Amino acid sequence: MQVSNKIKSPYVSCNKYLINGELSQWEGPMAEVASNIYLTEKLGSFEPTIIGKVPDMDEKVALNALESAVNAFSRGKGLWPTMKVKERIACMEKFVHIMATKRKIIVELLMWEIGKNKADAAKEFDRTVEYIFDTIEAYKKLDRKSAKFDTEGNIRAHVRRGPLGVVLCLGPYNYPLNETFSLLIPALIMGNTTVFKPAKLGVLLITPLLEAFQEAFPKGVVNVLFGRGRKIAAPIMKTGKVDVLALIGHSTSAVALQDLHPYKNRLRLILGLEAKNPGIILPDADMDLTIKECISGTLSYNGQRCTALKILFVHESIVDDFIAKFSKAVDTLNFGLPWEDGSFLTPLPEIQKPNYIKGLIKDAESKGAKVMNQKGGEMLPNYCFPAIMYPVNEQMDLYHEEQFGPVIPIVSFKDIDEPLNAMANSDYGQQVSLFGEDVKQLGPLIDTLANLVCRVNLNSSCQRGPDVYPFTGRKNSAVGTLSVFDALRSFSIRTFVASKDNKYNNAILQELLNSDHSNFINTEYLL
Ligand code: G3H
């Protein structure tokens, strides 16, 4: 199915990068970008398809990008951090309108670079555009609340939210557009300046936006680098000039980067990290609904979502019935190329992932679990068909590891304390899905679960969206909260002007308000 000479792959060669408002030509080494979708077979082995190349940058240019962001912030004096809110919003609107014209190529690259199916790739793009518009609205709302003075005691105050400084933005490969932008956009609109490096996969799809960044924002506000994190993010962190590390990815990368920063107390962290969200299926759960939600929860985008259901705890009284029906449903899922109609399962973008998944299956088998569905574990060069593994126990890697791929461990339980203890002992604390209907049992359970994770999904799979809801986690799963509104808070700090409430000061404040001398002291109501 994956070898076809009829399909034309895209090819994008980008030798440009954006620093200090200039799209410069990269003269150094380039890195090829390979898609794990195969179009050719050479000597009996499948070959990834080369779909483009990007600069493989080094420390020197990384530090130039940082310097550009530092200069654009200019100790808080820069054009961008002091600009009127409505002017920053105008820049953002300009950007999103140009971005909207790049939908076709970006959706195509999402399919080729990370194997996301067409519907989900389109959704990722559209959701990101919507996120930008929603962020603009949320910022106007926030700003309206600041368009006033407060008086407490004899102190008059004008309280606003101000930027933090220079933000290093690093996104993940599974949502290379949406999640990267869910950091970058609020960081920018709040007046910070940024250095941004696309994820390890899903790099080419950023290149059609370079000119949009250049046209929409003042120089130095957005700086875009390409290359390996180790080579370019590490030296940037070592300088101590980064005020905010905004990263969605793995905690090991976040901790390694944080450790390089010489002044840890000055570094604000906004992190979306790994998770092992469990599904807990109670004896009275509606079976059909539960199967449907568990399919989308475990296998949307092949399970490569931080919010995916990564372990299912099923009550022992229904576990056989659940496994029989769930296995049947999994085996009917369509595997195909991302752009083919009805492809639900698609090639895995990481070359080593099928073997890693196979390794988890073998480890579980060697410790007593079995593959429960007929097609489970069938291998293709770039895929491993989803395997339902049962009975899984604590000795198996699959019980603990965030598999981030198509394999589903099932654990049966007798006493509800078993899954609750497992969650309490786990390193993660993002979300849970709870299936059942008896309110006498659900009520107290919800009360406990809400203290173990940050979102309890009742008879529904776990997910991040809608983006207006808070997205966060406990333990190793997150630092800070992201949502359209929360992200504006995360990337800013409350800062205000205070004065003794007397004639002398009030006259000065009034004059400031009547003049154009300060963008901060401003009570303009943004419609
Ligand atoms: O990888 C984690 C994403 O935040 C998941 O987002 O639940 O919308 O797929 P999603």
Side-chain angles (χ1 to χ4, degrees), residues 280-285 314-318 413-420 434-449 456 458:
I280 301 179
I281 305 170
L282 302 174
D284 63 343
V314 188
H315 191 266
E316 60 173 18
S317 62
I318 53 161
F413 71 90
K414 192 185 181 85
D415 187 327
I416 192 65
D417 273 338
E418 295 167 41
L420 293 180
L434 177 62
F435 298 94
E437 59 186 36
D438 174 8
V439 294
K440 286 203 284 306
Q441 191 174 12
L442 290 176
L445 246 180
I446 289 172
D447 294 352
T448 306
L449 289 170
V456 180
L458 185 59

PDB file of all heavy atoms in Angstrom, residues 280-285 314-318 413-420 434-449 456 458:
ATOM      1  N   ILE A 280     -10.606   4.428  33.308  1.00  0.00           N
ATOM      2  CA  ILE A 280     -11.101   3.530  34.363  1.00  0.00           C
ATOM      3  C   ILE A 280     -12.520   3.134  33.967  1.00  0.00           C
ATOM      4  O   ILE A 280     -13.394   3.998  33.816  1.00  0.00           O
ATOM      5  CB  ILE A 280     -11.084   4.215  35.745  1.00  0.00           C
ATOM      6  CG1 ILE A 280      -9.651   4.644  36.097  1.00  0.00           C
ATOM      7  CG2 ILE A 280     -11.651   3.289  36.808  1.00  0.00           C
ATOM      8  CD1 ILE A 280      -9.528   5.361  37.439  1.00  0.00           C
ATOM      9  N   ILE A 281     -12.723   1.836  33.772  1.00  0.00           N
ATOM     10  CA  ILE A 281     -14.011   1.385  33.260  1.00  0.00           C
ATOM     11  C   ILE A 281     -14.721   0.581  34.358  1.00  0.00           C
ATOM     12  O   ILE A 281     -14.268  -0.501  34.762  1.00  0.00           O
ATOM     13  CB  ILE A 281     -13.799   0.568  31.968  1.00  0.00           C
ATOM     14  CG1 ILE A 281     -12.994   1.437  30.966  1.00  0.00           C
ATOM     15  CG2 ILE A 281     -15.139   0.150  31.376  1.00  0.00           C
ATOM     16  CD1 ILE A 281     -12.500   0.729  29.762  1.00  0.00           C
ATOM     17  N   LEU A 282     -15.824   1.172  34.848  1.00  0.00           N
ATOM     18  CA  LEU A 282     -16.572   0.578  35.964  1.00  0.00           C
ATOM     19  C   LEU A 282     -17.572  -0.454  35.418  1.00  0.00           C
ATOM     20  O   LEU A 282     -17.924  -0.420  34.227  1.00  0.00           O
ATOM     21  CB  LEU A 282     -17.293   1.695  36.738  1.00  0.00           C
ATOM     22  CG  LEU A 282     -16.367   2.790  37.310  1.00  0.00           C
ATOM     23  CD1 LEU A 282     -17.192   3.917  37.931  1.00  0.00           C
ATOM     24  CD2 LEU A 282     -15.398   2.206  38.341  1.00  0.00           C
ATOM     25  N   PRO A 283     -18.068  -1.345  36.304  1.00  0.00           N
ATOM     26  CA  PRO A 283     -18.932  -2.435  35.831  1.00  0.00           C
ATOM     27  C   PRO A 283     -20.191  -1.957  35.099  1.00  0.00           C
ATOM     28  O   PRO A 283     -20.677  -2.636  34.208  1.00  0.00           O
ATOM     29  CB  PRO A 283     -19.316  -3.169  37.120  1.00  0.00           C
ATOM     30  CG  PRO A 283     -18.319  -2.780  38.130  1.00  0.00           C
ATOM     31  CD  PRO A 283     -17.780  -1.449  37.745  1.00  0.00           C
ATOM     32  N   ASP A 284     -20.711  -0.762  35.473  1.00  0.00           N
ATOM     33  CA  ASP A 284     -21.964  -0.332  34.841  1.00  0.00           C
ATOM     34  C   ASP A 284     -21.750   0.608  33.655  1.00  0.00           C
ATOM     35  O   ASP A 284     -22.675   1.283  33.208  1.00  0.00           O
ATOM     36  CB  ASP A 284     -22.854   0.361  35.900  1.00  0.00           C
ATOM     37  CG  ASP A 284     -22.199   1.628  36.461  1.00  0.00           C
ATOM     38  OD1 ASP A 284     -20.971   1.791  36.282  1.00  0.00           O
ATOM     39  OD2 ASP A 284     -22.907   2.454  37.067  1.00  0.00           O
ATOM     40  N   ALA A 285     -20.531   0.643  33.132  1.00  0.00           N
ATOM     41  CA  ALA A 285     -20.257   1.564  32.004  1.00  0.00           C
ATOM     42  C   ALA A 285     -21.050   1.130  30.779  1.00  0.00           C
ATOM     43  O   ALA A 285     -21.218  -0.066  30.528  1.00  0.00           O
ATOM     44  CB  ALA A 285     -18.768   1.557  31.692  1.00  0.00           C
ATOM     45  N   VAL A 314      -9.849  -2.011  33.681  1.00  0.00           N
ATOM     46  CA  VAL A 314     -11.219  -2.469  33.430  1.00  0.00           C
ATOM     47  C   VAL A 314     -11.646  -3.384  34.582  1.00  0.00           C
ATOM     48  O   VAL A 314     -10.885  -4.295  34.968  1.00  0.00           O
ATOM     49  CB  VAL A 314     -11.294  -3.233  32.084  1.00  0.00           C
ATOM     50  CG1 VAL A 314     -12.748  -3.541  31.737  1.00  0.00           C
ATOM     51  CG2 VAL A 314     -10.634  -2.437  30.966  1.00  0.00           C
ATOM     52  N   HIS A 315     -12.879  -3.169  35.083  1.00  0.00           N
ATOM     53  CA  HIS A 315     -13.323  -3.997  36.210  1.00  0.00           C
ATOM     54  C   HIS A 315     -13.375  -5.462  35.782  1.00  0.00           C
ATOM     55  O   HIS A 315     -13.799  -5.794  34.669  1.00  0.00           O
ATOM     56  CB  HIS A 315     -14.693  -3.528  36.717  1.00  0.00           C
ATOM     57  CG  HIS A 315     -15.049  -4.173  38.015  1.00  0.00           C
ATOM     58  ND1 HIS A 315     -15.799  -5.326  38.105  1.00  0.00           N
ATOM     59  CD2 HIS A 315     -14.683  -3.847  39.288  1.00  0.00           C
ATOM     60  CE1 HIS A 315     -15.911  -5.670  39.370  1.00  0.00           C
ATOM     61  NE2 HIS A 315     -15.233  -4.788  40.115  1.00  0.00           N
ATOM     62  N   GLU A 316     -12.953  -6.331  36.681  1.00  0.00           N
ATOM     63  CA  GLU A 316     -12.808  -7.754  36.327  1.00  0.00           C
ATOM     64  C   GLU A 316     -14.119  -8.404  35.859  1.00  0.00           C
ATOM     65  O   GLU A 316     -14.110  -9.336  35.061  1.00  0.00           O
ATOM     66  CB  GLU A 316     -12.240  -8.551  37.519  1.00  0.00           C
ATOM     67  CG  GLU A 316     -13.098  -8.496  38.756  1.00  0.00           C
ATOM     68  CD  GLU A 316     -12.627  -9.422  39.871  1.00  0.00           C
ATOM     69  OE1 GLU A 316     -11.467  -9.861  39.848  1.00  0.00           O
ATOM     70  OE2 GLU A 316     -13.458  -9.702  40.762  1.00  0.00           O
ATOM     71  N   SER A 317     -15.261  -7.839  36.317  1.00  0.00           N
ATOM     72  CA  SER A 317     -16.547  -8.447  35.946  1.00  0.00           C
ATOM     73  C   SER A 317     -16.894  -8.223  34.469  1.00  0.00           C
ATOM     74  O   SER A 317     -17.755  -8.904  33.927  1.00  0.00           O
ATOM     75  CB  SER A 317     -17.653  -7.874  36.826  1.00  0.00           C
ATOM     76  OG  SER A 317     -17.759  -6.479  36.610  1.00  0.00           O
ATOM     77  N   ILE A 318     -16.257  -7.251  33.820  1.00  0.00           N
ATOM     78  CA  ILE A 318     -16.610  -6.968  32.415  1.00  0.00           C
ATOM     79  C   ILE A 318     -15.399  -7.034  31.491  1.00  0.00           C
ATOM     80  O   ILE A 318     -15.510  -6.749  30.304  1.00  0.00           O
ATOM     81  CB  ILE A 318     -17.279  -5.567  32.274  1.00  0.00           C
ATOM     82  CG1 ILE A 318     -16.393  -4.480  32.926  1.00  0.00           C
ATOM     83  CG2 ILE A 318     -18.679  -5.549  32.866  1.00  0.00           C
ATOM     84  CD1 ILE A 318     -16.717  -3.091  32.441  1.00  0.00           C
ATOM     85  N   PHE A 413      -9.163  -4.896  37.329  1.00  0.00           N
ATOM     86  CA  PHE A 413      -9.127  -4.592  38.770  1.00  0.00           C
ATOM     87  C   PHE A 413     -10.392  -5.098  39.450  1.00  0.00           C
ATOM     88  O   PHE A 413     -11.443  -5.257  38.820  1.00  0.00           O
ATOM     89  CB  PHE A 413      -8.918  -3.087  39.019  1.00  0.00           C
ATOM     90  CG  PHE A 413     -10.095  -2.222  38.667  1.00  0.00           C
ATOM     91  CD1 PHE A 413     -11.083  -1.922  39.614  1.00  0.00           C
ATOM     92  CD2 PHE A 413     -10.237  -1.692  37.390  1.00  0.00           C
ATOM     93  CE1 PHE A 413     -12.169  -1.126  39.287  1.00  0.00           C
ATOM     94  CE2 PHE A 413     -11.323  -0.900  37.055  1.00  0.00           C
ATOM     95  CZ  PHE A 413     -12.293  -0.612  38.004  1.00  0.00           C
ATOM     96  N   LYS A 414     -10.245  -5.363  40.757  1.00  0.00           N
ATOM     97  CA  LYS A 414     -11.369  -5.838  41.553  1.00  0.00           C
ATOM     98  C   LYS A 414     -11.848  -4.677  42.432  1.00  0.00           C
ATOM     99  O   LYS A 414     -13.005  -4.382  42.536  1.00  0.00           O
ATOM    100  CB  LYS A 414     -10.819  -6.973  42.445  1.00  0.00           C
ATOM    101  CG  LYS A 414     -11.819  -7.830  43.162  1.00  0.00           C
ATOM    102  CD  LYS A 414     -11.002  -8.786  44.074  1.00  0.00           C
ATOM    103  CE  LYS A 414     -11.880  -9.725  44.841  1.00  0.00           C
ATOM    104  NZ  LYS A 414     -12.236 -10.925  44.068  1.00  0.00           N
ATOM    105  N   ASP A 415     -10.846  -4.001  43.029  1.00  0.00           N
ATOM    106  CA  ASP A 415     -11.115  -2.931  43.983  1.00  0.00           C
ATOM    107  C   ASP A 415     -10.687  -1.604  43.338  1.00  0.00           C
ATOM    108  O   ASP A 415      -9.591  -1.510  42.777  1.00  0.00           O
ATOM    109  CB  ASP A 415     -10.245  -3.213  45.229  1.00  0.00           C
ATOM    110  CG  ASP A 415     -10.563  -2.263  46.368  1.00  0.00           C
ATOM    111  OD1 ASP A 415     -10.906  -1.102  46.078  1.00  0.00           O
ATOM    112  OD2 ASP A 415     -10.456  -2.692  47.528  1.00  0.00           O
ATOM    113  N   ILE A 416     -11.516  -0.575  43.453  1.00  0.00           N
ATOM    114  CA  ILE A 416     -11.217   0.725  42.826  1.00  0.00           C
ATOM    115  C   ILE A 416      -9.904   1.336  43.340  1.00  0.00           C
ATOM    116  O   ILE A 416      -9.267   2.144  42.661  1.00  0.00           O
ATOM    117  CB  ILE A 416     -12.412   1.705  42.982  1.00  0.00           C
ATOM    118  CG1 ILE A 416     -12.233   2.935  42.091  1.00  0.00           C
ATOM    119  CG2 ILE A 416     -12.620   2.100  44.432  1.00  0.00           C
ATOM    120  CD1 ILE A 416     -12.250   2.675  40.626  1.00  0.00           C
ATOM    121  N   ASP A 417      -9.487   0.909  44.535  1.00  0.00           N
ATOM    122  CA  ASP A 417      -8.213   1.422  45.047  1.00  0.00           C
ATOM    123  C   ASP A 417      -7.028   1.002  44.173  1.00  0.00           C
ATOM    124  O   ASP A 417      -5.985   1.655  44.198  1.00  0.00           O
ATOM    125  CB  ASP A 417      -7.972   0.942  46.487  1.00  0.00           C
ATOM    126  CG  ASP A 417      -8.627   1.889  47.483  1.00  0.00           C
ATOM    127  OD1 ASP A 417      -8.873   3.052  47.094  1.00  0.00           O
ATOM    128  OD2 ASP A 417      -8.913   1.465  48.615  1.00  0.00           O
ATOM    129  N   GLU A 418      -7.205  -0.087  43.406  1.00  0.00           N
ATOM    130  CA  GLU A 418      -6.075  -0.521  42.556  1.00  0.00           C
ATOM    131  C   GLU A 418      -5.728   0.551  41.503  1.00  0.00           C
ATOM    132  O   GLU A 418      -4.582   1.006  41.466  1.00  0.00           O
ATOM    133  CB  GLU A 418      -6.372  -1.880  41.911  1.00  0.00           C
ATOM    134  CG  GLU A 418      -6.477  -3.005  42.943  1.00  0.00           C
ATOM    135  CD  GLU A 418      -7.092  -4.279  42.351  1.00  0.00           C
ATOM    136  OE1 GLU A 418      -6.756  -4.644  41.209  1.00  0.00           O
ATOM    137  OE2 GLU A 418      -7.917  -4.901  43.044  1.00  0.00           O
ATOM    138  N   PRO A 419      -6.688   0.988  40.674  1.00  0.00           N
ATOM    139  CA  PRO A 419      -6.298   2.079  39.751  1.00  0.00           C
ATOM    140  C   PRO A 419      -5.945   3.379  40.458  1.00  0.00           C
ATOM    141  O   PRO A 419      -5.062   4.117  40.007  1.00  0.00           O
ATOM    142  CB  PRO A 419      -7.515   2.262  38.848  1.00  0.00           C
ATOM    143  CG  PRO A 419      -8.627   1.532  39.488  1.00  0.00           C
ATOM    144  CD  PRO A 419      -8.037   0.484  40.372  1.00  0.00           C
ATOM    145  N   LEU A 420      -6.609   3.657  41.578  1.00  0.00           N
ATOM    146  CA  LEU A 420      -6.296   4.912  42.282  1.00  0.00           C
ATOM    147  C   LEU A 420      -4.870   4.888  42.822  1.00  0.00           C
ATOM    148  O   LEU A 420      -4.129   5.881  42.714  1.00  0.00           O
ATOM    149  CB  LEU A 420      -7.286   5.162  43.431  1.00  0.00           C
ATOM    150  CG  LEU A 420      -8.732   5.452  43.011  1.00  0.00           C
ATOM    151  CD1 LEU A 420      -9.601   5.688  44.242  1.00  0.00           C
ATOM    152  CD2 LEU A 420      -8.808   6.660  42.089  1.00  0.00           C
ATOM    153  N   LEU A 434     -13.182   8.438  32.990  1.00  0.00           N
ATOM    154  CA  LEU A 434     -13.907   7.591  33.934  1.00  0.00           C
ATOM    155  C   LEU A 434     -15.223   7.172  33.284  1.00  0.00           C
ATOM    156  O   LEU A 434     -16.018   8.025  32.872  1.00  0.00           O
ATOM    157  CB  LEU A 434     -14.163   8.407  35.214  1.00  0.00           C
ATOM    158  CG  LEU A 434     -14.970   7.745  36.305  1.00  0.00           C
ATOM    159  CD1 LEU A 434     -14.266   6.489  36.839  1.00  0.00           C
ATOM    160  CD2 LEU A 434     -15.186   8.723  37.465  1.00  0.00           C
ATOM    161  N   PHE A 435     -15.426   5.858  33.174  1.00  0.00           N
ATOM    162  CA  PHE A 435     -16.626   5.354  32.505  1.00  0.00           C
ATOM    163  C   PHE A 435     -17.529   4.641  33.511  1.00  0.00           C
ATOM    164  O   PHE A 435     -17.085   3.693  34.176  1.00  0.00           O
ATOM    165  CB  PHE A 435     -16.227   4.383  31.376  1.00  0.00           C
ATOM    166  CG  PHE A 435     -15.409   5.056  30.304  1.00  0.00           C
ATOM    167  CD1 PHE A 435     -14.013   5.027  30.349  1.00  0.00           C
ATOM    168  CD2 PHE A 435     -16.030   5.734  29.265  1.00  0.00           C
ATOM    169  CE1 PHE A 435     -13.255   5.656  29.357  1.00  0.00           C
ATOM    170  CE2 PHE A 435     -15.281   6.363  28.277  1.00  0.00           C
ATOM    171  CZ  PHE A 435     -13.887   6.326  28.328  1.00  0.00           C
ATOM    172  N   GLY A 436     -18.775   5.077  33.614  1.00  0.00           N
ATOM    173  CA  GLY A 436     -19.730   4.470  34.531  1.00  0.00           C
ATOM    174  C   GLY A 436     -20.926   5.389  34.673  1.00  0.00           C
ATOM    175  O   GLY A 436     -20.938   6.485  34.092  1.00  0.00           O
ATOM    176  N   GLU A 437     -21.964   4.958  35.446  1.00  0.00           N
ATOM    177  CA  GLU A 437     -23.126   5.837  35.571  1.00  0.00           C
ATOM    178  C   GLU A 437     -23.733   5.913  36.969  1.00  0.00           C
ATOM    179  O   GLU A 437     -24.603   6.735  37.225  1.00  0.00           O
ATOM    180  CB  GLU A 437     -24.194   5.466  34.532  1.00  0.00           C
ATOM    181  CG  GLU A 437     -24.707   4.045  34.637  1.00  0.00           C
ATOM    182  CD  GLU A 437     -25.656   3.688  33.490  1.00  0.00           C
ATOM    183  OE1 GLU A 437     -25.424   4.164  32.368  1.00  0.00           O
ATOM    184  OE2 GLU A 437     -26.620   2.953  33.741  1.00  0.00           O
ATOM    185  N   ASP A 438     -23.288   5.080  37.891  1.00  0.00           N
ATOM    186  CA  ASP A 438     -23.866   5.105  39.234  1.00  0.00           C
ATOM    187  C   ASP A 438     -23.280   6.283  40.021  1.00  0.00           C
ATOM    188  O   ASP A 438     -22.105   6.268  40.404  1.00  0.00           O
ATOM    189  CB  ASP A 438     -23.549   3.765  39.927  1.00  0.00           C
ATOM    190  CG  ASP A 438     -23.997   3.759  41.373  1.00  0.00           C
ATOM    191  OD1 ASP A 438     -24.686   4.719  41.791  1.00  0.00           O
ATOM    192  OD2 ASP A 438     -23.643   2.802  42.097  1.00  0.00           O
ATOM    193  N   VAL A 439     -24.120   7.290  40.244  1.00  0.00           N
ATOM    194  CA  VAL A 439     -23.598   8.516  40.858  1.00  0.00           C
ATOM    195  C   VAL A 439     -23.051   8.293  42.275  1.00  0.00           C
ATOM    196  O   VAL A 439     -22.165   9.015  42.713  1.00  0.00           O
ATOM    197  CB  VAL A 439     -24.639   9.667  40.876  1.00  0.00           C
ATOM    198  CG1 VAL A 439     -24.973  10.118  39.468  1.00  0.00           C
ATOM    199  CG2 VAL A 439     -25.870   9.290  41.640  1.00  0.00           C
ATOM    200  N   LYS A 440     -23.590   7.245  42.939  1.00  0.00           N
ATOM    201  CA  LYS A 440     -23.082   6.999  44.311  1.00  0.00           C
ATOM    202  C   LYS A 440     -21.612   6.574  44.249  1.00  0.00           C
ATOM    203  O   LYS A 440     -20.830   6.859  45.143  1.00  0.00           O
ATOM    204  CB  LYS A 440     -23.915   5.910  44.994  1.00  0.00           C
ATOM    205  CG  LYS A 440     -25.295   6.421  45.421  1.00  0.00           C
ATOM    206  CD  LYS A 440     -25.919   5.622  46.535  1.00  0.00           C
ATOM    207  CE  LYS A 440     -26.499   4.293  46.135  1.00  0.00           C
ATOM    208  NZ  LYS A 440     -27.470   4.223  45.068  1.00  0.00           N
ATOM    209  N   GLN A 441     -21.242   5.891  43.187  1.00  0.00           N
ATOM    210  CA  GLN A 441     -19.838   5.508  43.058  1.00  0.00           C
ATOM    211  C   GLN A 441     -19.024   6.610  42.357  1.00  0.00           C
ATOM    212  O   GLN A 441     -17.899   6.925  42.748  1.00  0.00           O
ATOM    213  CB  GLN A 441     -19.703   4.197  42.285  1.00  0.00           C
ATOM    214  CG  GLN A 441     -18.275   3.676  42.409  1.00  0.00           C
ATOM    215  CD  GLN A 441     -18.067   2.304  41.805  1.00  0.00           C
ATOM    216  OE1 GLN A 441     -18.903   1.778  41.099  1.00  0.00           O
ATOM    217  NE2 GLN A 441     -16.903   1.730  42.071  1.00  0.00           N
ATOM    218  N   LEU A 442     -19.656   7.230  41.357  1.00  0.00           N
ATOM    219  CA  LEU A 442     -18.931   8.255  40.596  1.00  0.00           C
ATOM    220  C   LEU A 442     -18.568   9.467  41.455  1.00  0.00           C
ATOM    221  O   LEU A 442     -17.450   9.994  41.362  1.00  0.00           O
ATOM    222  CB  LEU A 442     -19.772   8.741  39.407  1.00  0.00           C
ATOM    223  CG  LEU A 442     -19.989   7.768  38.252  1.00  0.00           C
ATOM    224  CD1 LEU A 442     -20.921   8.391  37.214  1.00  0.00           C
ATOM    225  CD2 LEU A 442     -18.660   7.396  37.598  1.00  0.00           C
ATOM    226  N   GLY A 443     -19.515   9.900  42.288  1.00  0.00           N
ATOM    227  CA  GLY A 443     -19.332  11.141  43.055  1.00  0.00           C
ATOM    228  C   GLY A 443     -18.033  11.171  43.845  1.00  0.00           C
ATOM    229  O   GLY A 443     -17.151  12.016  43.590  1.00  0.00           O
ATOM    230  N   PRO A 444     -17.863  10.235  44.806  1.00  0.00           N
ATOM    231  CA  PRO A 444     -16.625  10.267  45.596  1.00  0.00           C
ATOM    232  C   PRO A 444     -15.378  10.001  44.750  1.00  0.00           C
ATOM    233  O   PRO A 444     -14.303  10.534  45.042  1.00  0.00           O
ATOM    234  CB  PRO A 444     -16.813   9.144  46.622  1.00  0.00           C
ATOM    235  CG  PRO A 444     -18.144   8.541  46.387  1.00  0.00           C
ATOM    236  CD  PRO A 444     -18.832   9.237  45.273  1.00  0.00           C
ATOM    237  N   LEU A 445     -15.569   9.197  43.684  1.00  0.00           N
ATOM    238  CA  LEU A 445     -14.409   8.913  42.830  1.00  0.00           C
ATOM    239  C   LEU A 445     -13.917  10.181  42.125  1.00  0.00           C
ATOM    240  O   LEU A 445     -12.715  10.455  42.062  1.00  0.00           O
ATOM    241  CB  LEU A 445     -14.833   7.917  41.751  1.00  0.00           C
ATOM    242  CG  LEU A 445     -14.215   6.536  41.776  1.00  0.00           C
ATOM    243  CD1 LEU A 445     -14.745   5.692  40.637  1.00  0.00           C
ATOM    244  CD2 LEU A 445     -12.703   6.631  41.716  1.00  0.00           C
ATOM    245  N   ILE A 446     -14.879  10.939  41.623  1.00  0.00           N
ATOM    246  CA  ILE A 446     -14.519  12.197  40.949  1.00  0.00           C
ATOM    247  C   ILE A 446     -13.779  13.109  41.933  1.00  0.00           C
ATOM    248  O   ILE A 446     -12.776  13.745  41.577  1.00  0.00           O
ATOM    249  CB  ILE A 446     -15.777  12.894  40.376  1.00  0.00           C
ATOM    250  CG1 ILE A 446     -16.292  12.096  39.173  1.00  0.00           C
ATOM    251  CG2 ILE A 446     -15.492  14.345  39.985  1.00  0.00           C
ATOM    252  CD1 ILE A 446     -17.631  12.550  38.622  1.00  0.00           C
ATOM    253  N   ASP A 447     -14.259  13.137  43.186  1.00  0.00           N
ATOM    254  CA  ASP A 447     -13.617  14.004  44.188  1.00  0.00           C
ATOM    255  C   ASP A 447     -12.145  13.645  44.377  1.00  0.00           C
ATOM    256  O   ASP A 447     -11.297  14.515  44.542  1.00  0.00           O
ATOM    257  CB  ASP A 447     -14.345  13.896  45.536  1.00  0.00           C
ATOM    258  CG  ASP A 447     -15.760  14.444  45.452  1.00  0.00           C
ATOM    259  OD1 ASP A 447     -16.090  15.040  44.403  1.00  0.00           O
ATOM    260  OD2 ASP A 447     -16.536  14.263  46.412  1.00  0.00           O
ATOM    261  N   THR A 448     -11.849  12.332  44.358  1.00  0.00           N
ATOM    262  CA  THR A 448     -10.457  11.909  44.518  1.00  0.00           C
ATOM    263  C   THR A 448      -9.661  12.152  43.228  1.00  0.00           C
ATOM    264  O   THR A 448      -8.544  12.680  43.262  1.00  0.00           O
ATOM    265  CB  THR A 448     -10.392  10.390  44.846  1.00  0.00           C
ATOM    266  OG1 THR A 448     -11.215  10.161  45.975  1.00  0.00           O
ATOM    267  CG2 THR A 448      -8.984   9.934  45.131  1.00  0.00           C
ATOM    268  N   LEU A 449     -10.268  11.758  42.106  1.00  0.00           N
ATOM    269  CA  LEU A 449      -9.534  11.858  40.825  1.00  0.00           C
ATOM    270  C   LEU A 449      -9.151  13.301  40.505  1.00  0.00           C
ATOM    271  O   LEU A 449      -8.068  13.566  39.960  1.00  0.00           O
ATOM    272  CB  LEU A 449     -10.382  11.270  39.694  1.00  0.00           C
ATOM    273  CG  LEU A 449     -10.530   9.748  39.728  1.00  0.00           C
ATOM    274  CD1 LEU A 449     -11.585   9.272  38.730  1.00  0.00           C
ATOM    275  CD2 LEU A 449      -9.185   9.072  39.429  1.00  0.00           C
ATOM    276  N   VAL A 456     -10.915  15.468  34.718  1.00  0.00           N
ATOM    277  CA  VAL A 456     -11.599  14.177  34.810  1.00  0.00           C
ATOM    278  C   VAL A 456     -12.634  14.161  33.693  1.00  0.00           C
ATOM    279  O   VAL A 456     -13.547  14.983  33.668  1.00  0.00           O
ATOM    280  CB  VAL A 456     -12.292  14.010  36.181  1.00  0.00           C
ATOM    281  CG1 VAL A 456     -12.997  12.659  36.263  1.00  0.00           C
ATOM    282  CG2 VAL A 456     -11.289  14.173  37.316  1.00  0.00           C
ATOM    283  N   LEU A 458     -15.631  12.487  32.010  1.00  0.00           N
ATOM    284  CA  LEU A 458     -16.677  11.540  32.370  1.00  0.00           C
ATOM    285  C   LEU A 458     -17.272  10.935  31.097  1.00  0.00           C
ATOM    286  O   LEU A 458     -17.811  11.662  30.247  1.00  0.00           O
ATOM    287  CB  LEU A 458     -17.746  12.288  33.176  1.00  0.00           C
ATOM    288  CG  LEU A 458     -18.881  11.438  33.740  1.00  0.00           C
ATOM    289  CD1 LEU A 458     -18.353  10.342  34.667  1.00  0.00           C
ATOM    290  CD2 LEU A 458     -19.859  12.329  34.497  1.00  0.00           C
TER     291      LEU A 458
END
